[in-house]
Amino acid sequence: MNMEKLNTTLTLTANIGVLIGLFLVAYELRQNDDSLNATIQLSISQSYEELSTLGIENPSLQDALIEVFAGSEAISPDTMTTIMAWQYRYLLVLFTTYNLYLDEIVTESFWREKASHYTVYLLQSSRMRDIHNASLHDEMFSPEFRAALDTLIADQLAAIEGTGQ
């Protein structure tokens, strides 16, 4: 009888140990998810910081932006190439942000805020918009991403027209 009681006690203790182990594994996995999300947020933040200072750190981009926004004559091929490269780099970061939004890693408001920093350039300059439209190809980014950008531009235009700016 003592062996049977000992066996039952050991089995119960082992099962409790397994349950505690499962809870600890679940806790560790949760911490890893939080750590991964923090790393993603930091990486996104660094990407947008690089984009925001690129015009200052890169004189050819700065000159190209000035030519597009303030120039009155035709855009030079160098300017066109520089702006297209800058837009593509920006769109890559936005595309990543959009996919993180779809995966519910970043919020919709975060996605819209970051995308609006880009689309405001398109609204302020028809030249910038023309370069953007001419450089996009169907195989570059998903149709959903492009539609999301178009929706954001339409929303921004409606807001501008609504305020009479």
Side-chain angles (χ1 to χ4, degrees):
M1 203 63 144
N2 280 342
M3 285 304 267
E4 191 175 308
K5 190 173 186 179
L6 180 62
N7 190 24
T8 303
T9 303
L10 288 174
T11 302
L12 181 62
T13 304
N15 287 337
I16 290 172
V18 168
L19 285 175
I20 290 171
L22 287 174
F23 285 120
L24 288 174
V25 167
Y27 177 75
E28 288 295 322
L29 287 174
R30 180 71 178 166
Q31 281 188 319
N32 284 343
D33 283 349
D34 292 345
S35 177
L36 180 60
N37 285 340
T39 301
I40 290 169
Q41 296 285 350
L42 180 60
S43 178
I44 290 173
S45 176
Q46 288 171 338
S47 294
Y48 284 106
E49 180 183 343
E50 288 175 18
L51 286 170
S52 68
T53 60
L54 195 59
I56 296 166
E57 297 166 357
N58 186 339
S60 64
L61 175 59
Q62 186 179 40
D63 292 343
L65 287 169
I66 290 169
E67 185 178 336
V68 167
F69 280 98
S72 59
E73 51 199 51
I75 298 171
S76 71
D78 286 344
T79 294
M80 179 75 77
T81 303
T82 301
I83 295 297
M84 286 173 71
W86 172 76
Q87 285 182 342
Y88 182 71
R89 184 174 180 177
Y90 213 122
L91 287 169
L92 283 174
V93 175
L94 284 177
F95 186 61
T96 299
T97 306
Y98 177 72
N99 285 317
L100 291 171
Y101 156 63
L102 292 179
D103 292 338
E104 298 180 354
I105 295 172
V106 299
T107 64
E108 180 181 8
S109 62
F110 182 86
W111 146 249
R112 289 180 63 87
E113 174 195 343
K114 297 306 182 187
S116 68
H117 293 172
Y118 175 77
T119 56
V120 73
Y121 284 106
L122 304 180
L123 294 173
Q124 292 178 357
S125 168
S126 61
R127 291 171 145 186
M128 188 69 79
R129 202 168 36 255
D130 291 343
I131 295 169
H132 169 81
N133 291 333
S135 65
L136 285 180
H137 303 284
D138 289 339
E139 65 277 356
M140 290 175 67
F141 299 103
S142 71
E144 296 82 11
F145 170 69
R146 292 175 59 188
L149 278 180
D150 290 343
T151 299
L152 183 59
I153 291 169
D155 292 349
Q156 287 175 318
L157 279 173
I160 290 169
E161 290 170 1
T163 60
Q165 292 181 350

